[in-house]
Amino acid sequence: MTAADLRNKYLEFFEKKGHKIIPSASLVPEHDPTVLFTTAGMHPLVPFLLGENHPEGKRLVNVQKCLRTDDIEDVGDNWHNTFFEMLGNWSLGDYWKEEAISWSFEFLTKELGLDQNRISVTVFGGDSEVPGVSADEESVAIWKKLGIPEERIYRLGSEDNWWGPVGDTGPCGPDTEMFYDTGASEHGKVCRPGENCGKYTEIWNDVFMEYNRTKDGKFEKLNQKNVDTGMGVERVLGVLQGRDNIYETELFSRALSLIKTLSPNYKETSARIVADHLRAATFLLADQVIPSNSERGYVLRRLIRRAIRHGRLLEINGNFISKIAAEFIETYKDQYKELTTFSEEIFAELNKEEGKFQKALTSGLREFEKLGTNISGQDVFRLYESYGFPPELTFELVAEKGIRVDHKQFEMELKRHQEVSRAGMEKKFSGGLADHSEITVRGHTATHLLHQALRDVLGDSVYQTGSNITPERIRFDFSYKEKPTVEQLKKVEEVVNEKIKLNLPVKKEMLSQEEADRKGAIGLFKQKYSDKVSIYEIGDYSVEYCGGPHVDHTSLVGKFRIIKEESVSAGQRRIKAVLE
Ligand code: SER
């Protein structure tokens, strides 16, 4: 079974069970400034898990792009990735444990043909960390009814069997996880599902989200009982194809064979790290993240630099990272159109970043040579902080040259630095989860007006490439080859304010893709699967693909003011604006 077969089978299976197929959201949470990346399929659905009505109904299914960096040190082993695709189905206050678990089991055993004797499960066994929530014996009973014997059902605590919330607050609940017994364990180690010995591969997680974690750490019942499930495409594919790792599937074959060709000193772990990190970087760039020294851009920079560093260990000569990205674009282009739409920008950014890093390496090396034969921990840290020279590289060089270095002192210096930056991050991201305040909804309507006004003033080559709205400001990214003039920006601002004053009605419609196209709907990415697409019309001025929410009438938007316009990368501009 190929990845494409697996995705299709999953979507079709749940479609038959009454689910609507929804598109993958961006890796950059669109309406949630409080977290860096989309880490699970449920993340873009938080408002609906909390009770808002979803335009597609109560049963949803999709394939979602996800990125998690908490396991980055494990990448290179058999089963961990930073970027991955998650298959997910949701019940928004509709079906509950019986259906969710039975359908998971039916899909695994009937549709995918996995041997039920090799499936073990874990369930929530109760835990003082989550006071007032009892052990999930209901799920145990369902598993038993389906034929999973007591000895393959593990009752574990909240560390293993409680999911969410994504940030500090939000929907969460006990879960039941499904594991496939690969038969092999590392060096004959004995372990249970959830422990990393290579024997059990986690393939699916059914979360029963009936709680909301509040700011003061309490778990209160939600008004509706939700189901949120997640199954990793890479892992299941590995299992289905009889592999003991994810890298031998076709998702990695093109990239890894190129790495093999380019490397005169091939090492499996480094090659996997290069492949994993550049795949993640390619998808992040396609979602308009640009390498930088803070937040998302910093994570992207770190992934790219780590990949280059491992490329060096593989002794790959010259610039290579955009060549690997090209292989991933080829592998994924049918499923994710944004990769081809933005391929030129992806290559340009990767080449630029590779050039910068090579420069950092050259100047870092020059500084390193000056340090002599006793290198302090602070020296290693200074090379890292001032020149971007990776500490691992310093340690490699000192080992080669027999120089002594104070590792302990470096670790202390690094820890001090991490604590300072972590405190900063926590402060920044402490605002709670998805923001659906009135001002953000107003901002959302303003971006539709801005999008159309930019097209009116600058021409139809303008299209939106990203947006991020917080209560403080609107950020809108778009494609345009030149710098708009001050007069043009003034005109855009005027048009938006004029439409606001006209108090145009904002109307949502569910149309077929053809009808929406006929109406000239514009928008970021068209939804790929649904029969019906959701569009918003603002009077007769703007028609745009969008799930909402929006204000009812434009006068509610307030006064719109552009505060900044800048370039983000070749052919990409960014406007920052406020509502007054
Ligand atoms: N949110 C759960 C997970 O990420 C299930 O989708 O595992």
Side-chain angles (χ1 to χ4, degrees), residues 39-42 68 86 90 163 202 205 207 209 228-231:
T39 55
M42 57 71 72
R68 291 184 191 175
M86 191 185 267
W90 292 275
W163 206 91
E202 184 197 331
N205 184 11
V207 188
M209 284 188 163
D228 153 42
T229 93
M231 163 151 68

Side-chain angles (χ1 to χ4, degrees), residues 36 289-302 305 353 356-357 360 384-389 417 421 425:
L36 288 182
V289 180
I290 306 289
S292 73
N293 281 335
S294 64
E295 300 174 17
R296 295 186 181 101
Y298 175 68
V299 174
L300 172 59
R301 173 160 284 166
R302 191 161 164 235
R305 293 193 166 188
E353 192 60 19
K356 262 193 201 154
F357 190 47
Y384 168 55
E385 201 177 34
S386 313
Y387 300 93
F389 197 72
H417 178 82
S421 60
M425 279 296 238

Side-chain angles (χ1 to χ4, degrees), residues 510-558:
M510 299 298 295
L511 301 177
S512 70
Q513 179 84 59
E514 292 72 37
E515 284 168 318
D517 280 342
R518 222 174 301 129
K519 276 186 182 264
I522 54 171
L524 198 45
F525 296 117
K526 295 183 183 176
Q527 300 164 32
K528 266 175 280 180
Y529 302 110
S530 312
D531 301 339
K532 295 273 185 206
V533 294
S534 150
I535 62 160
Y536 271 86
E537 283 186 73
I538 307 184
D540 57 2
Y541 184 61
S542 134
V543 191
E544 186 157 337
Y545 291 96
C546 179
H550 283 274
V551 298
D552 295 339
H553 281 84
T554 54
S555 66
L556 296 172
V557 170

Side-chain angles (χ1 to χ4, degrees), residues 22 102 104-105 187 215 250 294 321 351 456 513 516 532 544 548 550:
I22 56 168
S102 312
S104 293
F105 187 71
H187 318 298
K215 267 201 191 109
E250 81 273 16
S294 64
I321 60 174
N351 289 335
D456 287 352
Q513 179 84 59
K532 295 273 185 206
E544 186 157 337
H550 283 274

Side-chain angles (χ1 to χ4, degrees), residues 270-313:
S270 283
R272 288 177 176 187
I273 292 173
V274 170
D276 170 89
H277 288 13
L278 291 178
R279 186 175 68 142
T282 305
F283 274 93
L284 281 172
L285 287 161
D287 277 347
Q288 314 305 311
V289 180
I290 306 289
S292 73
N293 281 335
S294 64
E295 300 174 17
R296 295 186 181 101
Y298 175 68
V299 174
L300 172 59
R301 173 160 284 166
R302 191 161 164 235
L303 285 166
I304 295 174
R305 293 193 166 188
R306 227 167 161 249
I308 297 174
R309 212 185 105 46
H310 280 274
R312 204 175 164 276
L313 296 178

